[in-house]
């Protein structure tokens, strides 16, 4: 019992350090009201039911998972599945970890962040999928193949079910009014110039060209160029002296010039992670985003608006520097190593990968998905009333991009926090450029040195 509690506390600590309440991963959403005959909110299962699958996931059942499970049950009446929703936050993940360690029946479950995935693999919770030749399935059926899927000690413990493209939402009406056309492969210089043109008074209200925050970080141009391990030069040295990081000077300049939403307002209104209220209220013309935020564009009851939202990719730092890392494969489906229904669980995992695009309001990771079907599910009925549909397909369903993959996690939580804290000081003018980058470098190098002793 003491060993079990020690494991739970270790996983809970990882949750505290790494789990952000991001709606894109099912976290930060209120528990849903569902048919309790088929969906139970973390309910205790008595023992293991032969041939029955119990699946835990962080996405509300009514957002598509229950329809997918129902489709499985129709096709597989002898091996029915039950979907149990957990909230993807610290408490929800601790509940899941505790249930797994206690032996409660959970055959399949979802993990949403790389460090939590690593902790669960190291704790023996995850089934190594090599026995099912998962690498072949992933290479043949999933975008990006095996090289885009996290591996732990060279083993596959999961498969991604969602492709989360990052991009920029733009108020197309504002572009048209100004006669602005955004270049296909635009640069930071062009981004700054267009933001300046879009800044000003409109209908008696102040409009900023853009916000430069996404998921509580500055616009991750550097990450789109360097990939998922952008903060690491090696296992023992941080990367904050890389020339690409100088893009943050340009982003600060936008705030200083008044073309980006001021940091004080971002902070006071809590817009660093979720800027959609300002975008949909037409206070900003552009907003960094991931596909999961489109649910708010469709929510006309809470965010009434009548403009068309179009889509553009991230700018690169200059015309000679490609930025191919424009998305993440996520929503990893895992098999419980203690499941008594492993063969059936593997069949279900493949079914989820291949069928998710028909039911769940996320871009699927399945490489053979029908993009028209995905567009209909994600954008909803009559999408042309709210969206530039062709731009959505070109940018958010781009299948030629590379996927960010985080392979280094040593000191990651501490480095993320240092980056956030020092960046705020930089934006507020409490340190100059030289101090900013040298401080980041020294503090993060010290973290890595201490963690790798």
């Amino acid at each position: 019992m003491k060993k079990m509690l020690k494991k739970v506390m270790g996983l809970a600590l990882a949750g505290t350090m790494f789990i952000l309440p991001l709606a894109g991963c099912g976290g930060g959403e209120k528990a849903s009201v569902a048919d309790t005959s088929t969906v139970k909110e973390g309910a205790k299962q008595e023992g293991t039911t032969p041939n029955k699958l119990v699946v835990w996931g962080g996405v509300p059942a009514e957002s598509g998972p229950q329809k997918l499970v129902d489709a499985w049950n129709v096709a597989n009446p002898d091996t029915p599945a039950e979907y149990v929703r957990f909230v993807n936050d610290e408490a929800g993940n601790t509940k899941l970890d505790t249930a797994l360690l206690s032996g409660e029946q959970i055959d399949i479950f979802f993990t949403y962040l790389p460090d939590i995935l690593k902790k669960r693999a190291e704790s023996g919770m995850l089934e190594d999928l090599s026995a099912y030749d998962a690498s072949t399935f992933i290479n043949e059926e999933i975008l990006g193949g095996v090289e885009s899927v996290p591996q732990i000690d060279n083993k596959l413990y999961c498969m991604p079910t969602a492709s989360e493209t990052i991009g920029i939402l733009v108020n197309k009406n504002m572009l048209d009014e100004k006669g602005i056309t955004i270049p296909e492969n635009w640069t930071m210089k062009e981004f700054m110039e267009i933001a300046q043109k879009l800044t000003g008074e409109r209908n008696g209200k102040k409009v900023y060209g853009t916000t430069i925050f996404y998921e509580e970080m500055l616009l991750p141009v550097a990450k789109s160029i360097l990939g998922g391990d952008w903060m690491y030069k090696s296992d023992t040295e941080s990367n904050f002296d890389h020339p690409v990081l100088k893009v943050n000077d340009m982003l600060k300049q936008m705030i200083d010039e008044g073309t980006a939403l001021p940091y004080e307002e971002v902070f006071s209104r809590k817009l660093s992670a979720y800027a959609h209220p300002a975008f949909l209220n037409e206070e900003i013309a552009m907003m960094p985003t991931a596909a999961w935020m489109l649910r708010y564009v469709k929510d006309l009851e809470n965010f009434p608006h009548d403009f068309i939202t179009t889509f553009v990719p991230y700018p690169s730092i200059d015309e000679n520097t490609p930025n191919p890392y424009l998305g993440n494969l996520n929503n990893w489906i895992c098999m419980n190593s203690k499941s008594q229904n492993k063969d059936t669980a593997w069949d279900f995992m493949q079914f989820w990968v291949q069928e998710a695009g028909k039911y769940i309001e996320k871009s699927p990771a399945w490489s053979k998905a029908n993009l028209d079907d995905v567009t209909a599910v994600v954008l909803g009925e009559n999408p042309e009333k709210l969206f530039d549909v062709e731009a959505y397909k070109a940018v958010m369903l781009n299948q030629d991009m590379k996927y960010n993959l985080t392979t280094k996690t040593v000191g990651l939580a501490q480095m993320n926090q240092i980056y956030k804290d020092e960046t705020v000081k930089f934006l507020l003018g409490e340190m100059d450029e030289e101090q900013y980058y040298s401080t980041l470098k020294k503090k993060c190098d010290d973290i890595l040195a201490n963690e790798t002793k």
Side-chain angles (χ1 to χ4, degrees):
M1 186 63 182
K2 288 183 179 179
K3 290 183 178 179
M4 181 187 298
L5 287 173
K6 186 175 181 181
K7 284 185 177 181
V8 173
M9 290 302 293
L11 285 160
L13 178 59
T16 302
M17 294 166 62
F18 287 90
I19 296 174
L20 294 174
L22 299 181
C25 299
E29 300 175 86
K30 296 185 183 300
S32 57
V33 177
D35 179 0
T36 55
S37 65
T38 56
V39 183
K40 300 179 182 178
E41 192 75 22
K44 176 72 176 178
Q45 305 295 316
E46 296 298 332
T48 298
T49 303
N51 300 323
K52 174 187 174 182
L53 296 174
V54 178
V55 184
W56 280 42
V59 178
E62 69 272 18
S63 295
Q66 190 58 45
K67 289 181 180 179
L68 190 152
V69 168
D70 290 343
W72 165 271
N73 290 344
V74 169
N76 301 273
D78 295 332
T79 54
E82 175 186 6
Y83 185 74
V84 178
R85 194 274 175 109
F86 71 95
V87 179
N88 181 34
D89 59 10
E90 179 186 350
N93 276 275
T94 299
K95 178 187 287 188
L96 170 57
D97 294 333
T98 302
L100 288 166
L101 291 168
S102 71
E104 181 172 334
Q105 182 179 357
I106 301 174
D107 300 286
I108 298 160
F109 59 93
F110 283 82
T111 301
Y112 299 94
L113 286 173
D115 194 73
I116 301 303
L117 185 76
K118 185 172 185 288
K119 294 286 185 182
R120 286 174 176 162
E122 292 173 344
S123 296
M125 297 176 176
L126 308 184
E127 179 73 10
D128 175 8
L129 300 178
S130 60
Y132 300 97
D133 196 15
S135 60
T136 297
F137 178 82
I138 291 171
N139 282 328
E140 293 178 352
E141 303 283 339
I142 290 179
L143 295 167
V146 169
E147 67 180 27
S148 299
V149 179
Q151 298 185 47
I152 300 160
D153 296 329
N154 297 315
K155 294 180 180 180
L156 285 166
Y157 290 97
C158 67
M159 295 195 295
T161 62
S163 170
E164 298 184 335
T165 306
I166 56 175
I168 296 180
L169 298 188
V170 187
N171 184 317
K172 188 175 184 299
N173 295 37
M174 291 187 186
L175 290 180
D176 293 344
E177 289 169 10
K178 301 277 188 177
I180 297 171
T181 299
I182 296 178
E184 184 174 346
N185 296 306
W186 60 334
T187 64
M188 273 298 301
K189 180 181 177 182
E190 289 166 327
F191 176 58
M192 295 171 72
E193 291 172 348
I194 289 172
Q196 186 175 42
K197 291 177 181 178
L198 291 168
T199 298
E201 295 290 326
R202 182 174 182 271
N203 299 327
K205 183 167 60 177
K206 171 71 174 180
V207 177
Y208 291 93
T210 189
T211 178
I212 58 169
F213 280 88
Y214 172 69
E215 292 190 348
E216 299 186 345
M217 299 280 202
L218 284 182
L219 187 73
V221 175
K223 185 176 181 179
S224 74
I225 295 168
L226 301 175
D229 292 328
W230 66 281
M231 287 195 292
Y232 295 83
K233 184 174 292 186
S234 69
D235 291 337
T236 57
E237 184 180 359
S238 73
N239 203 29
F240 286 104
D241 56 353
H242 195 291
V244 166
L245 269 295
K246 289 289 186 178
V247 70
N248 287 5
D249 296 349
M250 304 172 79
L251 295 170
K252 180 180 185 296
Q253 183 181 337
M254 296 178 75
I255 285 183
D256 293 344
E257 293 177 348
T259 61
L261 199 64
Y263 175 73
E264 292 84 353
E265 189 165 352
V266 170
F267 176 77
S268 65
R269 295 175 58 187
K270 300 181 180 179
L271 298 175
S272 61
Y274 310 101
H276 57 279
F279 177 72
L280 296 174
N281 195 36
E282 300 189 82
E283 299 171 65
I284 53 177
M286 299 186 287
M287 179 188 73
T289 189
W292 61 266
M293 293 189 75
L294 300 185
R295 70 185 70 172
Y296 299 114
V297 181
K298 295 186 293 183
D299 184 2
L300 295 179
E301 180 178 350
N302 291 305
F303 302 101
H305 64 282
D306 58 4
F307 63 84
I308 300 295
T309 293
T310 192
F311 305 81
V312 293
Y314 272 33
S316 190
I317 194 165
D318 58 51
E319 60 187 10
N320 298 315
T321 306
N323 59 336
Y325 296 97
L326 296 173
N328 306 285
L329 294 177
N330 203 288
N331 292 39
W332 299 307
I333 192 168
C334 308
M335 186 189 304
N336 184 359
S337 61
K338 303 298 190 294
S339 171
Q340 301 300 307
N341 304 308
K342 290 181 180 178
D343 289 344
T344 305
W346 172 244
D347 291 340
F348 182 90
M349 291 169 70
Q350 295 174 86
F351 182 86
W352 191 295
V353 168
Q354 296 169 330
E355 298 294 312
K358 296 179 182 178
Y359 305 103
I360 298 175
E361 295 180 18
K362 293 176 179 285
S363 300
W366 191 37
S367 60
K368 300 173 185 177
N370 184 305
L371 299 188
D372 289 333
D373 289 345
V374 173
T375 300
V377 171
V378 174
L379 299 188
E381 296 182 1
N382 302 315
E384 65 282 349
K385 290 185 177 180
L386 292 173
F387 299 102
D388 181 345
V389 177
E390 293 309 310
Y392 167 77
K393 291 180 179 179
V395 175
M396 306 306 284
L397 298 182
N398 172 19
Q399 296 194 339
D400 294 326
M401 65 181 172
K402 293 184 178 181
Y403 294 92
N404 282 302
L405 178 62
T406 301
T407 64
K408 300 181 187 301
T409 58
V410 174
L412 181 58
Q414 299 98 311
M415 289 169 66
N416 270 327
Q417 193 61 51
I418 289 169
Y419 180 59
K420 290 180 185 180
D421 293 344
E422 301 306 319
T423 297
V424 169
K425 295 175 187 177
F426 176 54
L427 294 177
L428 293 177
E430 296 177 9
M431 59 172 63
D432 61 23
E433 296 170 12
E434 183 179 351
Q435 290 174 309
Y436 172 55
Y437 296 108
S438 63
T439 300
L440 284 174
K441 175 72 174 164
K442 183 181 186 308
K443 286 189 174 183
C444 289
D445 281 354
D446 287 347
I447 289 293
L448 291 176
N450 289 331
E451 291 290 327
T452 54
K453 280 181 179 178

